[in-house]
Amino acid sequence: MAMVKRTVIVATFVFMFVLMAGCEPEEREIEFQTTDEHIEWRYEGEDEWTQLIALEELEGPAGEDGEDGEDGEDGADGEDGEEGPQGPAGEDGEDGADGEDGEDGLSAFETYLEHYPGYDEDEATWIKEVAQGTLSVEVTVVFADLTEKPNTFMKGETLGESPYEEDWYLDEAYEEPADEEVVMEDTTLYVEDVVNHSTYTFDVDMEDPVVAGEAIDFDVTFATDLEGPEGYDDVRFRIETSVPMMSGLEVDYSATDSEGETHTFTNDGYWGPSEGFELPADYDETTEWTLEFSGAGEFDITMSLIDADTEEVIAGIEETVTVDVIPYYSVYGFDAEIPVTINVDEDTAVDVALVTDEEGYKGRENVRFRFESSAPEGGEVTFTAEDSEGETYSFTDEGYWGPSDGFDLDTDYSEMTEWTVNFSAMGAYEIEMKLIDAETEEVIDDTVHTASIAVGEADMTIAEAIAADDEEAVEVNGIVTAIVDDRTFYIEDATGAINVVDDDEDYFNDLNVGDFIVVEGQRAEYEGLRQVDSLDDISVIESNFDLPPVKSIQEADITDEDEMIAFQGHRVDMFMPSVDSVEEDDEGNVILTLQWLEGMAYIDELVEVRYDASLDDEGAKDHLLSFEEGQNVMVNGMILGWHDGPQLVYTSPEEIDVAFMP
C-alpha cells in the first residue's frame, strides 16, 4: 500500500543558535506531515523528514469487540441465462465534472488534543514541549506499605481507573479519588490496602495507673496489619524514651527473650540481635517488658522497626506511646494570701490553704502544719484560727495546726483556713508554713511556704492615697520597687503602687530598691501619672525586702486606659512584643518602641519604653540601644509609668532581653 502524506505548516518559531562569537536568531518555518506510522517534521525547503513521534504512542487502547450480528437468511439461487453475442464498442463518453476538494487533515497538535483533550496549553507551548521531550509526566503511586511505583502519562491525559486492586487517591487520607484527574505535571497518588511488603503495627498494653518507683508490666505486641507478598530481612526493634525536659529522670527496661536471656537498658535500647532477624510476612509476637520510672511526669516511648545495618526506620513503621507517671504520694503546696505590707498592731485576715499540686497514687497520713516566724527585736506575731469543730488555735511566733497525732490528707486535697495575724512592732517579718509528719516532725516533700511581710505604721494605704484629692496630705507605707531617674521612684504596698517625686533631693540619695519606707507628702498628678510630691518626710523602716510579685499585662487591652491604669506604678511583664524602633535623643534619653502582641497576632498599637539620661548608667543605656527592629523581646519586672497614656520605664538590663526562640 502506498504511503499517504499530508503536509501542513503549523507554526513559525525562532530558533536561537548561540555560538562562541554570538549571532542573531534565525527565523525559519517548520513543516509537519503525518504518515501511516509517524508524525514527521522538517525545515521548509529541506528534502529530508525527521520522525517526531509514533502515532501508536498517541493512540488510546483498542476498544472491546462488538457483538456479532445475527446471520441473514440465504436467498434462492437464480437460473443461469444464455450467453448473448458481444456488441460493438460504444463511443467514449464526456469527461465527468471535477470532484470536490477533500477536507484538510488535522495538524499534529490537533491530533494530540483528540487523544488528550485535557491538555490546557497553546500550540506554541506544545511544540516546545515536543522538541524538549517534556510532554510526559511521572505519576508516582505510593502503596500502603510506603513503597512506590512510577508510571508515565502524557500531559493532558486523564488518569482513569486505578490499575491496582484498590482505587487510587490524590491524598494520603484516601478521600479524593483520582480517576477523573487530568495530569499536567508530576503527581503523587495513594493506594489504600495494597502492599508490596506486609505492613505491621505496634500495640501496647500497660498497667494503669503508672506510679513512679513502682515496676509495671508493659507488654508490646508487634503483628502484621496488611499481609503482603513478603516481609523484611535483617531487622530489629529500637526503643527510645523522651523524659520530661531537664528532669534527669530515667526509665529502666527489662525483658527476657525466647532463649531465656534477660535484656536490660535505661531510656534507649534495642530488641533483637545486632545483625537483625528475618521478619516473615505473617507475624504476631508479644514481648513482656518490665518498666520502672524514676519519677513522675510525662514520658514519650517510641518503638521503631529498623534496618539492622543502616538503623533507618522501615516503611514508617513506628509508634509513640505517651505515659503519664504519677508520684507515689500526692504532692501538696500552700497557697497563702499574705499582704506584703501590714500596719503594726492591726488584726489582719490571712487565708491559708493546702492544696494538691500533683495527684499521686496515695495521700498522706498523720500530718499537721507547723508555723514559724522571725521578727525584729521586740516584735512578735500572734496567730489565731478556728477549726471545723469550733476549737480555737492561738499561739505566738510558732505553733501547730491540727491534732497532735495528726490527720490524713486525701490524694486530691484542698482546704482553706482563715487566720488572723497581728504584728506587735514595725519591721521585717518572715513566716514559714510547713507540712510535717506528726510523729517525726520532719518536713514532707519540702512542702514549705515562706512569706516576707513589711510591717509599718501609716495613716492610709496607697489605694487610699490614690483616691485622695489633689494636694491633700497623705502618709503611706511602701516598698521601693524602682528608682527611675535622679529624683523619682515608685513604692508599692498590698493595695496599690504610686510614684514619689523628691524635687529637692532631700531623701532620694539615701534610698535603695527594696527599702520599706514611710512617705509623708501631698497627693499630685502629672500627665496622668499619680504621685506623692511636696514631701515632708521619708523614713526607712527596713531594707532588703523582696519586691512584690510582677503583674502580667499580656491579656490587658492596651487601648483601654481604664483597664491599663490599674497596672500604673506596678512592675509588669510582657510576652514577645516586637521592637518597632529604638532612638536616642540629643539629651541622651532612649525611647524603644514595642509593637503589642495580642493573642498570637501583632496589632498596630505601640507602647514606649523610656530610659532617662539622668540615671547615668551607660551599661543599661547601651543594652537598650542594642535592640534591633523586628526582634522579639521579653519584658519582666519593668515599671508601667504614665505620660498621657501607658509608658514603660526602664532602669536595668534585667528588665528586658531578646526572647528565646526554640
Side-chain angles (χ1 to χ4, degrees), residues 239 241 251-255 263-267 289-291 301:
I239 299 176
T241 307
V251 184
D252 292 328
Y253 292 78
S254 175
H263 301 261
T264 62
F265 57 83
T266 298
N267 289 352
W289 290 90
T290 299
L291 273 60
I301 298 175

Side-chain angles (χ1 to χ4, degrees), residues 18 37 74 85 89 99 155 174 208 245 253 260 263 300 490 502 523 559 573 619:
V18 182
E37 296 180 349
D74 295 337
K155 287 188 177 179
Y174 309 114
D208 185 29
M245 185 178 295
Y253 292 78
H263 301 261
D300 287 333
Y490 286 82
D502 183 8
R523 175 70 166 86
T559 64
D573 64 17

Side-chain angles (χ1 to χ4, degrees), residues 76-355:
D77 294 337
E79 297 180 0
D80 294 336
E82 295 180 2
E83 186 175 339
Q86 182 173 339
E91 296 179 1
D92 291 339
E94 296 179 1
D95 292 338
D98 292 338
E100 295 180 0
D101 292 338
E103 295 181 1
D104 291 338
L106 296 176
S107 70
F109 178 62
E110 292 168 333
T111 302
Y112 187 89
L113 291 182
E114 277 196 339
H115 288 86
Y116 307 117
Y119 186 82
D120 57 8
E121 301 288 354
D122 58 21
E123 185 173 5
T125 302
W126 179 82
I127 294 176
K128 287 181 181 179
E129 293 189 317
V130 170
Q132 294 169 355
T134 57
L135 263 182
S136 63
V137 295
E138 184 172 287
V139 175
T140 302
V141 178
V142 180
F143 299 97
D145 61 351
L146 302 185
T147 56
E148 300 179 356
K149 182 176 181 180
N151 297 265
T152 301
F153 282 74
M154 301 303 292
K155 287 188 177 179
E157 185 173 355
T158 302
L159 291 172
E161 186 177 344
S162 168
Y164 306 103
E165 296 176 8
E166 299 287 339
D167 292 338
W168 49 15
Y169 296 85
L170 297 170
D171 62 310
E172 295 180 77
Y174 309 114
E175 294 177 349
E176 300 181 48
D179 295 10
E180 302 300 321
E181 185 73 8
V182 174
V183 289
M184 287 292 294
E185 60 186 4
D186 291 346
T187 304
T188 300
L189 303 181
Y190 302 88
V191 176
E192 188 176 15
D193 296 337
V194 176
V195 294
N196 295 311
H197 291 272
S198 288
T199 62
Y200 306 85
T201 58
F202 290 95
D203 185 62
V204 173
D205 182 22
M206 62 180 167
E207 293 182 24
D208 185 29
V210 180
V211 181
E214 297 286 301
I216 67 159
D217 293 334
F218 189 87
D219 296 342
V220 180
T221 299
F222 187 76
T224 298
D225 183 23
L226 292 174
E227 186 173 351
E230 56 187 55
Y232 293 95
D233 296 329
D234 304 327
V235 304
R236 66 194 311 213
F237 300 118
R238 181 174 62 215
I239 299 176
E240 299 170 291
T241 307
S242 174
V243 303
M245 185 178 295
M246 301 180 68
S247 67
L249 297 178
E250 296 180 340
V251 184
D252 292 328
Y253 292 78
S254 175
T256 302
D257 64 20
S258 57
E259 303 297 323
E261 183 178 352
T262 299
H263 301 261
T264 62
F265 57 83
T266 298
N267 289 352
D268 302 329
Y270 299 90
W271 180 253
S274 59
E275 69 274 11
F277 61 92
E278 182 179 334
L279 180 64
D282 185 15
Y283 185 84
D284 189 342
E285 293 291 341
T286 298
T287 303
E288 297 177 351
W289 290 90
T290 299
L291 273 60
E292 185 171 327
F293 297 80
S294 66
E298 185 176 277
F299 297 76
D300 287 333
I301 298 175
T302 301
M303 298 158 288
S304 309
L305 178 70
I306 64 171
D307 182 286
D309 183 30
T310 67
E311 295 213 354
E312 292 183 356
V313 176
I314 296 172
I317 301 173
E318 65 180 8
E319 182 76 22
T320 298
V321 176
T322 298
V323 183
D324 291 315
V325 181
I326 63 174
Y328 187 81
Y329 290 108
S330 288
V331 178
Y332 305 91
F334 286 100
D335 184 6
E337 298 181 4
I338 303 178
V340 293
T341 59
I342 292 177
N343 271 347
V344 67
D345 286 328
E346 186 175 286
D347 286 346
T348 302
V350 174
D351 292 336
V352 177
L354 183 75
V355 298

Side-chain angles (χ1 to χ4, degrees), residues 6 431 492 541 555:
R6 293 185 286 111
I431 296 176
E492 183 175 338
I541 300 173
E555 302 301 323

